[in-house]
Amino acid sequence: MAESIFRKHRRGSVFWIFLPILLFLYLLLFPHPGGRETLVRPIWAAGLVPGVPSPVKEELPIWAFRAGDSFGYADLQGNIHFLGRSLHNLSLSDLGFINYGKIPDHVVFMNPRGEFQFSIKSYGYPLLESGGQVLYSINTDRSGLKRIDSEGEILWSKSFPTILTTIAPVAEQCLIGLMDGRALLMDAEGDVMYQYSPQGSRIPVLLGAAVSQDQNQIALISGIDPQ
């Protein structure tokens, strides 16, 4: 028993001797800077409160933003050109927006200053391509998709055997995802350019889709169990 206690005492002494050495080596070797750190500093901040819009400066590009129910257009100097509130969801683009009304009987297109541009008959839920050049309409039961021009004429219409779960319009192309797990890339005439069905999930549903700006790549969120 005495020998066992003595060994424990010796082991504890060695530990306390080496502890300052280990601490010194740690301070000497590890806390060197690993390079420059990137810091993000706000250049300006603008409050989202109703007020008089900023004067129009044609030389400054404007961009659309959305924060909760608030949305609008601003320039890179922080001038708010328009500030509005979403009624029953909305579709934003570079050229203007469509604020969904309570009764979707007409589509009203407004410019980035909140000024009326045109109104056409509604066929469902309107959706603008990000550039604002192309207008789609999703059937209220999500069983079909239409492309519409600014006069309200239907350019093409497509129906699907299962409901539409996601959509990503870019320029003249439109990527849609269906409940059955298929992704369809459609061209300006409504023809299917490319079709893909991701595998490996018990429930093959498409939950998200995106198309790159150069229209050469697509991204999909697919499936449940696993996703």
Side-chain angles (χ1 to χ4, degrees), residues 111 171 184 200:
N111 68 12
L184 306 177

Side-chain angles (χ1 to χ4, degrees), residues 69-90:
D69 291 335
S70 298
F71 72 97
Y73 293 83
D75 60 39
L76 294 180
Q77 291 186 355
N79 300 308
I80 304 295
H81 293 262
F82 176 77
L83 180 63
R85 184 166 292 275
S86 171
L87 301 176
H88 300 276
N89 210 343
L90 79 153

Side-chain angles (χ1 to χ4, degrees), residues 49-192:
V49 293
V52 179
S54 303
V56 177
K57 297 181 181 180
E58 299 296 340
E59 70 276 7
L60 293 177
I62 62 174
W63 47 274
F65 66 87
R66 184 173 184 180
D69 291 335
S70 298
F71 72 97
Y73 293 83
D75 60 39
L76 294 180
Q77 291 186 355
N79 300 308
I80 304 295
H81 293 262
F82 176 77
L83 180 63
R85 184 166 292 275
S86 171
L87 301 176
H88 300 276
N89 210 343
L90 79 153
S91 183
L92 276 173
S93 75
D94 296 338
L95 293 182
F97 64 92
I98 297 172
N99 206 344
Y100 292 8
K102 185 175 181 180
I103 302 176
D105 55 348
H106 278 78
V107 170
V108 179
F109 183 84
M110 314 286 280
N111 68 12
R113 299 288 296 177
E115 299 166 341
F116 174 86
Q117 296 297 293
F118 64 84
S119 176
I120 59 176
K121 179 182 177 182
S122 174
Y123 296 94
Y125 300 110
L127 179 66
L128 288 165
E129 176 266 334
S130 60
Q133 301 286 353
V134 183
L135 174 63
Y136 297 94
S137 179
I138 303 172
N139 294 3
T140 53
D141 60 359
R142 294 190 295 169
S143 65
L145 181 68
K146 299 177 179 64
R147 179 173 174 177
I148 307 170
D149 64 16
S150 59
E151 303 297 326
E153 296 295 326
I154 299 175
L155 301 178
W156 54 259
S157 178
K158 293 289 182 181
S159 296
F160 308 107
T162 182
I163 67 171
L164 193 155
T165 53
T166 183
I167 181 169
V170 174
E172 294 291 327
Q173 297 181 0
C174 182
L175 177 63
I176 66 170
L178 301 175
M179 178 68 80
D180 61 8
R182 287 184 298 152
L184 306 177
L185 184 63
M186 309 177 74
D187 62 15
E189 285 72 40
D191 297 323
V192 177

